[in-house]
Amino acid sequence: MTDANPEERTLVLLRHAKAEQGSDAADDAERPLSARGDADAAAAGAWLAHQGLLPDVVICSTARRTRQTWHGVAMGMTGSPPEGGPSGPRPTVRYEPGAYDAHPEELLSLVRTVDPQARTALLIAHNPGISLLSALLDPAGAIDEGLRTAELAVHRCPANWAELSRAGAPLTTRHTARD
């Protein structure tokens, strides 16, 4: 995938993969991925690699299911764990407690702090915030039903992450492993 504008940046939004159902709301942040979630996360990573959308920066909620989603995505992209291996440079990964249960403006604030040198950023978070962020960035391309688990929304962004604003990043592609 090539950029039409060399100054443009790419923001990939990913709703975490399918998690086990929990009965206690206090344990929500500790719910693990289901077997299907593990498979879908790896498939999302493989799709990102195939599209040439390997992130320079990953912002990930600290919830267990989002951390496990990132691990699966990294495995799918490279075939090796995100902590190391022979597959090339690893992205900078930021685990952000503020991405859990965040409103879209809070997620947008996190994205605005991405290193200006980064060309591609991946944000892994939760609904409704992640879906509402996609709609905030491109109201015309808004996804009525929101992002499904392990669904990716690819947005094209201005040259500077700090300038990212409402209606400032068109949605160019959506992908889910389970279509």
Side-chain angles (χ1 to χ4, degrees):
M1 180 174 268
T2 60
D3 290 333
N5 176 351
E7 296 300 312
E8 210 169 44
R9 302 292 184 257
T10 302
L11 174 62
V12 180
L13 304 178
L14 173 59
R15 180 179 174 196
H16 65 77
K18 181 76 174 167
E20 295 289 344
Q21 294 300 316
S23 58
D24 185 358
D27 293 332
D28 184 66
E30 291 304 316
R31 288 192 299 134
L33 291 185
S34 66
R36 185 182 98 190
D38 285 329
D40 288 349
W47 184 84
L48 288 170
H50 182 74
Q51 299 299 313
L53 292 171
L54 300 177
D56 301 306
V57 173
V58 177
I59 301 171
C60 185
S61 161
T62 55
R64 183 176 181 185
R65 63 190 174 274
T66 50
R67 289 181 285 122
Q68 288 178 329
T69 297
W70 163 239
H71 187 270
V73 167
M75 292 290 292
M77 286 189 309
T78 66
S80 64
E83 293 78 27
S87 303
R90 299 286 181 217
T92 300
V93 181
R94 293 176 24 205
Y95 293 101
E96 292 284 348
Y100 180 78
D101 202 25
H103 296 282
E105 290 285 353
E106 294 167 317
L107 294 173
L108 180 58
S109 291
L110 290 173
V111 174
R112 287 178 177 148
T113 67
V114 168
D115 180 340
Q117 300 303 312
R119 306 264 315 141
T120 301
L122 171 62
L123 173 62
I124 306 171
H126 311 265
N127 261 352
I130 196 84
S131 291
L132 293 172
L133 176 59
S134 185
L136 182 137
L137 293 173
D138 183 3
I143 305 163
D144 289 338
E145 68 277 5
L147 293 172
R148 296 165 48 189
T149 55
E151 186 169 7
L152 298 144
V154 180
H155 290 265
R156 291 291 180 212
C157 303
N160 187 338
W161 294 109
E163 296 171 6
L164 188 57
S165 63
R166 290 176 173 265
L171 178 68
T172 60
T173 307
R174 290 176 55 190
H175 176 77
T176 184
R178 315 185 297 286
D179 280 335

